[in-house]
Amino acid sequence: MSKRVRKAVFPAGGLGTRFLPATKVIPKEMLALVDKPIIQYGVEEAVASGIEHIIIVTGRGKGAMEDHFDHSFELDATLERRGKSELLAVSRGVSSLAHISYVRQKEPKGLGHAVLCAKELVGDEPFAVILPDDVIDAEVPCLKQMIDVFNQRGGSVLATQTVEGPGISAYGVLAGSQDASDSRIYNCTGMVEKPRFEDAPSKQAIIGRYVLTPRIFALLEQTTPGAGGEIQLTDGIKALLKEEKVFGYTFEGKRFDAGDKFGMLQAMVEFALKRPEFGDKFRAYLKSLPL
Ligand code: UTP
């Protein structure tokens, strides 16, 4: 069994209902954040974190993702003929980003089920899970930070962020205690999915990045469907906790929930402001608005 984290699973088989009507035909993962589909940010993060093999779990109507990461002969030939070398490099760059495999989730039966669909492609080795609608802006890629913790501590690692107030009820929340030697690490003893504010065991909310040991697959296979008939990843991780160490990790960086309309708007504004070619112009435009 390889001890290195070489593979990353991208569950992208969900329906994206929060973004209707845009996601009626277009996969949520293909919605553009400025000029790049949101899943491409995650793929670039994985590659920058040392991941060698990406596994995208797709579903019905999600073919655009496969086309996006493939060669586009007509487009490339046209750009070449027109002498558009910079755009050609952009188009070719996407198709040579990473080694990507696809596996189909026949029905959207939950995040845990989507991860389980990647079992054969992952095999018996630790792996990462990236939820493509969580876009993270960080100096050191979030997944790289997590793999470093995994390598040091040798247990599964869940990315967390501190959520103050009732907003915590939208997340899986960790129970446990802060590590004595590293304030970013949380020694996890349990977790509660979407607790009431009063019942939340901590302020440590799980977000869309995980490094997991392959034991999770057997545990997910034994997990019975919960609310809405879905197999929850958190139920599998709860079972994992009884057998192995699991850590929360407060990553350095800023996360945007781009699968939600408001989160996407926030990401759009902040990413656009950072773009050298029009950031200043956009800033001036925002300042000119009668807010
Ligand atoms: P979300 O709950 O954010 O995605 O799942 P969703 O179900 O597509 O969106 P809404 O809530 O209806 O708007 C997080 C990630 O897990 C994937 C989604 O594609 C998304 O990237 N997922 C979810 C699956 O791959 N399969 C599922 O059965 C459920």
Side-chain angles (χ1 to χ4, degrees):
M1 165 177 148
S2 168
K3 287 263 173 12
R4 262 198 326 124
V5 182
R6 302 183 302 164
K7 300 181 183 180
V9 176
F10 283 65
L15 295 176
T17 54
R18 282 173 296 158
F19 233 116
L20 281 169
T23 46
K24 202 171 164 199
V25 177
I26 298 167
K28 167 174 73 172
E29 299 77 12
M30 286 301 295
L31 296 177
L33 171 49
V34 186
D35 53 4
K36 241 191 263 179
I38 57 175
I39 191 166
Q40 192 178 327
Y41 289 89
V43 169
E44 288 174 355
E45 177 186 327
V47 171
S49 304
I51 294 295
E52 294 162 11
H53 185 175
I54 282 166
I55 299 152
I56 301 182
V57 183
T58 69
R60 201 167 289 121
K62 299 273 187 155
M65 281 185 286
E66 291 181 49
D67 290 340
H68 179 71
F69 291 110
D70 195 1
H71 288 291
S72 177
F73 290 107
E74 298 84 353
L75 175 66
D76 291 358
T78 307
L79 292 173
E80 196 158 25
R81 206 168 353 96
R82 292 185 182 164
K84 305 264 187 199
S85 52
E86 276 179 29
L87 292 176
L88 182 62
V90 170
S91 170
R92 285 200 173 138
V94 177
S95 48
S96 55
L97 253 180
H99 171 59
I100 305 182
S101 302
Y102 298 88
V103 60
R104 189 110 161 179
Q105 185 187 25
K106 289 188 185 135
E107 267 178 82
K109 289 200 279 189
L111 180 57
H113 180 257
V115 170
L116 198 47
C117 290
K119 179 183 169 203
E120 268 72 39
L121 286 169
V122 171
D124 191 23
E125 57 182 273
F127 65 103
V129 175
I130 289 192
L131 303 194
D133 41 3
D134 270 356
V135 178
I136 297 179
D137 185 24
E139 233 162 78
V140 176
C142 175
L143 185 59
K144 163 122 189 17
Q145 300 174 40
M146 296 171 70
I147 292 174
D148 287 346
V149 175
F150 175 83
N151 290 339
Q152 284 161 16
R153 302 277 176 138
S156 295
V157 183
L158 320 176
T160 60
Q161 68 181 34
T162 306
V163 174
E164 304 283 348
I168 195 86
S169 300
Y171 296 87
V173 182
L174 298 186
S177 58
Q178 203 176 50
D179 191 76
S181 65
D182 186 339
S183 62
R184 290 194 173 272
I185 294 180
Y186 196 81
N187 296 308
C188 190
T189 55
M191 63 186 64
V192 188
E193 186 60 26
K194 300 191 172 63
R196 287 191 317 181
F197 173 47
E198 315 79 79
D199 301 333
S202 74
K203 292 176 182 175
Q204 298 302 309
I206 306 170
I207 61 105
R209 299 286 184 277
Y210 310 76
V211 176
L212 299 169
T213 61
R215 176 71 186 139
I216 192 73
F217 291 122
L219 297 170
L220 282 171
E221 276 168 340
Q222 291 160 20
T223 303
T224 42
E230 297 198 338
I231 295 178
Q232 304 294 345
L233 182 58
T234 41
D235 286 341
I237 299 174
K238 266 194 220 166
L240 188 66
L241 257 172
K242 295 192 182 128
E243 302 181 8
E244 297 178 3
K245 282 192 173 154
V246 176
F247 302 98
Y249 174 71
T250 310
F251 62 96
E252 273 175 81
K254 187 162 181 183
R255 166 230 177 211
F256 298 90
D257 180 5
D260 168 79
K261 291 174 199 178
F262 190 72
M264 175 64 113
L265 285 171
Q266 290 173 308
M268 197 79 89
V269 170
E270 296 207 26
F271 277 68
L273 285 171
K274 285 190 169 194
R275 291 292 287 261
E277 65 279 38
F278 51 69
D280 288 346
K281 192 172 161 190
F282 187 52
R283 184 171 289 101
Y285 166 70
L286 291 178
K287 280 187 176 160
S288 77
L289 294 175
L291 297 174

